[in-house]
Amino acid sequence: MAQNRKKKIGLIGGGQIGGNLALLAVQKGLGDVVLYDIPAAEGMVKGKALDINQLSAVDGYDCRVTGSTDWKDVAGSDVIIITAGVPRKPGMSREDLLEINLKIMKDVAGNIKQHAPDAFVINVANPLDAMVYALHKISGLPKNMVAGMAGVLDTSRFKCFVAEALGCSIRDVEALVLGGHGDDMVPLVRHSTVGGVPLTELLPKEKLDAIIKRTREGGAELVGLYKTGSAYFGPAASSIAMAESYIFDRKRVLPAAALLEGQYGISGYFFGTPVQIGAGGVEKVITVDLNAAEKAELEKSFQSVKKTVDSVTL
Ligand code: APR
């Protein structure tokens, strides 16, 4: 009988998000992990790998982590999650990271093309929509094998604030955030429900507006609290949800940045919309039917993304 080998997960960037990705991947049994970083961070990735491998005995996890500074160890990965890049500091926008993180992405995407061209690649580095665009262009990977993680996190933040406002279980909150991973993202109140009841029947407009604002500024709120960097638990868990759906062919419908080809009248840009993720990677890109006001908000978000992407030189 043919044996199913464990999957291999390449984590590019072993910093705050990378370390949490490695821990979650092991705890969820997704596969063996290679935690890759630049030579200057060798001790950090080797240390995190050793630390996680040692905790595996406590609960009996079977997956192993290897810390590496050699792309050859990443070769043959089934899934790659990119967090290589600089996080925001207080007062910075995600767009302020473009120049420095684009340089890093050029290095990373070129290495993926060379060492792991068959991987499903999820980008987390910011500015998200521009980085995933550059990743796709440079790596030459098929469009279904490249996605950006933002929507799961933005939606999760929205759900968290709704559950807090209502004092209800977060499990019963269904919500959707569309568009770019920036201050103009579009939380879709009209499409959100709690236990099947429309959200608009449960919370007054002023409260909903406050939740929308806090969701849009959710990343900045954490940058302001941490001061030395940005969110890491939420981004890690959100990326793992996408990787898990790919590895186990779950076919979950999750909001993510995918290459649009005419949806919402947009072509050639990565932008947040619900996608189905299964063994085929991004198997479907789903268009949400919007009213005039929602369309206008989405267009505003797209113009922000377009401005950043159009300034990318490859
Ligand atoms: N190849 C691999 N890793 C790199 C490279 C590179 N060329 N350049 C930098 N790195 C590594 C850094 O050495 C660092 O360990 O990326 C790691 C980033 O980790 P953190 O600084 O802790 O940042 P983190 O909070 O994980 O966020 C990473 O994700 O959400 C975004 O805005 C965030 O762009 C940022 C990225």
Side-chain angles (χ1 to χ4, degrees):
M1 201 171 81
Q3 288 223 316
N4 277 339
R5 68 168 177 87
K6 264 191 275 182
K7 296 291 183 195
K8 179 169 175 178
I9 299 158
L11 302 178
I12 311 305
Q16 295 283 37
I17 304 176
N20 281 290
L21 284 169
L23 179 60
L24 285 170
V26 165
Q27 288 181 318
K28 288 179 164 260
L30 297 193
D32 287 329
V33 172
V34 175
L35 188 60
Y36 171 90
D37 210 303
I38 52 175
E42 184 174 14
M44 179 178 67
V45 282
K46 293 210 158 146
K48 285 186 181 181
L50 185 59
D51 200 352
I52 293 173
N53 289 337
Q54 289 172 359
L55 82 75
S56 290
V58 179
D59 279 322
Y61 304 128
D62 295 315
C63 298
R64 288 284 161 274
V65 185
T66 306
S68 171
T69 58
D70 187 343
W71 270 96
K72 289 200 186 77
D73 292 325
V74 180
S77 291
D78 299 285
V79 175
I80 286 186
I81 305 177
I82 303 171
T83 64
V86 174
R88 285 195 276 173
K89 303 279 178 326
M92 289 173 87
S93 75
R94 293 184 182 90
E95 287 67 31
D96 293 334
L97 302 171
L98 180 67
E99 199 183 326
I100 181 159
N101 282 353
L102 184 59
K103 256 191 221 147
I104 295 172
M105 180 55 83
K106 284 180 181 172
D107 167 44
V108 169
N111 274 298
I112 290 175
K113 181 180 186 172
Q114 187 184 340
H115 298 284
D118 298 323
F120 177 57
V121 186
I122 300 164
N123 173 60
V124 185
N126 277 311
L128 190 280
D129 306 274
M131 286 299 127
V132 68
Y133 170 89
L135 163 69
H136 179 242
K137 287 275 181 213
I138 299 164
S139 69
L141 260 61
K143 63 186 180 196
N144 57 306
M145 297 303 271
V146 177
M149 189 298 293
V152 178
L153 174 62
D154 296 330
T155 302
S156 189
R157 284 178 175 152
F158 185 76
K159 289 179 183 175
C160 168
F161 301 143
V162 167
E164 270 181 13
L166 289 170
C168 72
S169 167
I170 199 163
R171 293 181 191 209
D172 297 320
V173 184
E174 270 306 325
L176 182 57
V177 179
L178 286 187
H181 187 47
D183 297 344
D184 302 318
M185 67 179 78
V186 186
L188 285 179
V189 172
R190 202 169 58 92
H191 300 70
S192 302
T193 57
V194 180
V197 181
L199 186 53
T200 44
E201 291 177 19
L202 297 170
L203 286 171
K205 187 172 180 311
E206 316 78 72
K207 189 75 204 169
L208 287 172
D209 287 346
I211 289 175
I212 290 173
K213 184 170 185 297
R214 193 168 177 203
T215 301
R216 287 185 166 141
E217 295 167 4
E221 183 176 356
L222 283 161
V223 171
L225 289 167
Y226 284 147
K227 298 207 167 53
T228 52
S230 49
Y232 42 94
F233 294 123
S238 305
S239 315
I240 288 290
M242 293 171 67
E244 204 176 0
S245 195
Y246 173 73
I247 289 171
F248 298 122
D249 192 23
R250 292 212 203 284
K251 303 199 185 294
R252 290 193 65 191
V253 176
L254 300 167
L259 182 67
L260 298 195
E261 294 174 302
Q263 296 89 345
Y264 313 104
I266 300 168
S267 283
Y269 292 84
F270 280 76
F271 200 52
T273 192
V275 299
Q276 178 180 303
I277 299 178
V282 175
E283 296 175 343
K284 282 183 197 160
V285 178
I286 297 162
T287 311
V288 184
D289 197 19
L290 302 174
N291 65 25
E294 292 156 352
K295 274 185 195 155
E297 285 195 33
L298 198 70
E299 179 58 22
K300 186 172 174 223
S301 174
F302 174 62
Q303 288 306 327
S304 304
V305 167
K306 185 173 183 300
K307 190 169 163 227
T308 312
V309 171
D310 291 351
S311 70
V312 166
T313 45
L314 297 175

